[in-house]
Amino acid sequence: GTVHFYPDRLQVDVDKGVSNGVILTGGSVLLYDLDKDDNFADINLVASSSISDALKLIDNPPLHYTSEMGINPDDIRGDAETTLGLKFELKSDLKPEELKVDVKSVLTNVVIPDVVKGKTVKADTMNLVVDNNGMSVIGEADLDGIPLRLVWDENFASKDYKSKYKISFKFDDAVKKKLGIDISVLNPPYISGYADVEAEITSFSGDKMNIDLTAGLSNAKIDFSWLGFDKPLKQRGTVKARLTFDKDKL
């Protein structure tokens, strides 16, 4: 890169470099207010790496984001194209909340093994954003052959919740087979077609969790006439449920 020296600041225009497996392909580092008692840094970098190395990057002190989420970066495979923004005061006792973070990554060829009962999540492309408030991962994915849309939200700032997952998928015969669900009242002649399901899973401290389920039934035919209920195909209908868990107890 190229270094520019000024009376009150130092600027590095980054051409290329390497940091713990992360390949820097551009960006800048600005150290300013050097003529004052309090000095500051403004860092903006563009990088290519594995997803694992990108997650390790945001686990460096004083952030420790990946560790706080309980994620092992080596468990996640794929590639990342990342823009990293950091603003902070140059001092030895810097606290996490004094560091302004802005990270955006495009993740490709994503593989997350053993997400649910040994099942693997795969995605061609996902978008990751990290700032002081939290982390979000959004994209179209595949859970052991089941297509779904995933929104994963990790909360750093608020104490309202720890993690939140929003999953959208089509609950049809193929999904029931994949999940090993073979319950007669969920199969023809009682239920045929499919449901559009949205699940929101919210994790709280103290091993507590809520699962909110909403199923759109427009594309399902339901015949529970023996219970006095019948819904033709294409007639609108919705089922909602909330499951609350406290330390694995429903």
Side-chain angles (χ1 to χ4, degrees):
T2 304
V3 182
H4 304 274
F5 295 94
Y6 303 93
D8 61 344
R9 66 192 187 278
L10 181 153
Q11 180 173 324
V12 181
D13 295 330
V14 178
D15 179 23
K16 57 185 176 181
V18 179
S19 176
N20 296 325
V22 177
I23 300 173
L24 305 178
T25 58
S28 64
V29 176
L30 175 64
L31 308 181
Y32 63 97
D33 284 352
L34 300 181
D35 58 336
K36 300 176 181 178
D37 292 335
D38 298 327
N39 319 129
F40 298 90
D42 186 351
I43 299 173
N44 294 277
L45 299 172
V46 180
S48 297
S49 69
S50 66
I51 296 175
S52 173
D53 286 331
L55 291 174
K56 290 175 183 177
L57 187 66
I58 62 171
D59 205 36
N60 284 319
L63 299 176
H64 301 296
Y65 285 157
T66 308
S67 298
E68 288 186 7
M69 291 184 288
I71 296 173
N72 182 355
D74 292 327
D75 288 343
I76 303 176
R77 302 193 299 273
D79 303 307
E81 296 292 328
T82 303
T83 59
L84 169 68
L86 299 173
K87 294 182 179 180
F88 55 93
E89 184 178 352
L90 296 171
K91 59 180 184 178
S92 59
D93 58 347
L94 187 70
K95 299 177 181 178
E97 59 270 21
E98 297 176 314
L99 175 62
K100 185 177 180 180
V101 180
D102 182 14
V103 178
K104 295 180 176 67
S105 289
V106 177
L107 312 180
T108 54
N109 304 315
V110 183
V111 179
I112 309 174
D114 198 22
V115 174
V116 180
K117 295 182 179 180
K119 299 185 184 299
T120 297
V121 167
K122 297 181 179 180
D124 292 332
T125 304
M126 304 190 85
N127 293 305
L128 177 147
V129 176
V130 180
D131 58 26
N132 294 79
N133 294 318
M135 181 191 80
S136 68
V137 179
I138 301 174
E140 305 292 330
D142 180 287
L143 174 62
D144 197 38
I146 301 171
L148 53 84
R149 177 165 178 80
L150 172 65
V151 178
W152 171 15
D153 176 25
E154 288 285 339
N155 187 357
F156 300 154
S158 171
K159 301 300 181 183
D160 293 339
Y161 66 92
K162 290 171 57 181
S163 306
K164 185 175 290 186
Y165 303 87
K166 295 180 181 179
I167 302 171
S168 305
F169 62 96
K170 182 186 294 185
F171 187 77
D172 56 14
D173 291 339
V175 170
K176 285 186 284 186
K177 185 177 180 180
K178 281 280 186 182
L179 297 177
I181 298 174
D182 187 14
I183 303 173
S184 59
V185 293
L186 296 180
N187 294 319
Y190 305 109
I191 298 179
S192 55
Y194 65 89
D196 294 304
V197 176
E198 294 184 359
E200 183 173 288
I201 305 166
T202 307
S203 175
F204 304 92
S205 58
D207 291 329
K208 295 182 179 180
M209 180 173 63
N210 286 341
I211 301 178
D212 292 290
L213 296 169
T214 302
L217 303 177
S218 296
N219 295 296
K221 180 179 181 300
I222 303 174
D223 183 4
F224 289 148
S225 53
W226 45 283
L227 292 176
F229 177 76
D230 179 77
K231 190 198 82 65
L233 187 67
K234 297 304 179 181
Q235 184 182 74
R236 296 177 63 183
T238 304
V239 172
K240 293 186 177 182
R242 165 171 281 192
L243 306 177
T244 299
F245 294 87
D246 188 349
K247 296 180 180 177
D248 295 328
K249 293 183 179 180
L250 178 61

